Amino acid sequence: MAVSSLGYVRIGIRDPQEWAKVGQDILGFESATVEDGSVRLRLDEAPFRYLIEEAEAEGFICAGWEYPAVDYDALLAALAENGVDLNEGNVDACAARAVAAFTSFSDPSGNTVEVFHTRDKGSAFSSPLNLNYVADNLGLGHVVLPAMEHALTCEFYENVLGFGLSDELKLPPPMEGVPEMQINFYHADNPRHHSVACFNGPAPSGVIHLMTEYTTVDQVGECLDRVTRAGLPITASIGRHVNDNMLSFYFLCPGGIPMEVGYDGEQFDWSKTEPTYSTVGDHWGHEYNFPE
Ligand SMILES: [Fe+2]
């Protein structure tokens, strides 16, 4: 049993239109406001990839993972066997996510997780900024989650949820008195290097970062211009990661959500690829600069 891809993410914010504006004008997503005031953002033919919901508590709510319909019952059985408390989504909640069925639960670090099968058929996509994304069967990008219970959480994603290890990265402590940084990167059943990664540190917004991938370096550079012009905080300068070879920069979206904007992520045939164990994160760049 293997997870197919990262299907959607849900984000909470007091004014969803604030996120809609950044999604549309900075990232180039197609934006549509639905009846309950939430905003659906699209970057490919899927019904949506980002669901921005009106909420007092601002930040990342959860990732939604797609599984083949034939594997869905076995997945729920495996979760139950591991003592995970499952909440089955009702008809209205399924409609809001454009899925046939979904179940939510917490991972061992307390991150909310949703798993689903059978997404509604989408429609033709056209970016208001004429941009192109690496998405479709590779999912919307990737998500890096805070995992204070690092070992348990990694084991859960690998052994219960069916992700495959791509790379285990260990970096020296960022400052005195904190442990070494550990990030485990996991792939779904598609060629993207990682769809989820577990980081052994906290995240005030509920997520370490999300990633959107364009198809050319110019689209990344032009996005950097738009971010700069809008005065949004840049949290990492342009650079190239070692493990997925992604050339990217990071900026802060509304609700304190860090977004990696990249291109050139390497794609892999997992039947012919062994996990790597890294001690270097970047070939160059990515000077981190988090606002106080
Ligand atoms: Fe990333």
Side-chain angles (χ1 to χ4, degrees), residues 142 144 185 194 209-211 241 244 246 248 250 260:
H142 67 229
V144 180
F185 298 83
H194 56 279
H209 70 259
L210 295 168
M211 190 280 293
H241 287 307
D244 63 356
M246 187 81 72
S248 60
Y250 294 64
E260 177 181 13

Side-chain angles (χ1 to χ4, degrees), residues 33-106:
T33 304
V34 293
E35 267 173 30
D36 65 359
S38 60
V39 167
R40 289 177 162 197
L41 297 173
R42 301 177 67 223
L43 56 108
D44 60 8
E45 290 187 355
F48 65 85
R49 294 302 198 172
Y50 287 71
L51 185 59
I52 314 297
E53 303 172 24
E54 195 181 324
E56 274 309 304
E58 298 198 328
F60 186 72
I61 300 173
C62 69
W65 298 101
E66 180 157 20
Y67 285 77
V70 291
D71 291 342
Y72 189 70
D73 288 344
L75 169 69
L76 297 190
L79 285 161
E81 247 170 62
N82 279 270
V84 179
D85 252 343
L86 301 177
N87 298 297
E88 197 186 332
N90 63 27
V91 173
D92 289 347
C94 285
R97 290 156 180 75
V99 300
F102 83 95
T103 299
S104 73
F105 51 90
S106 293

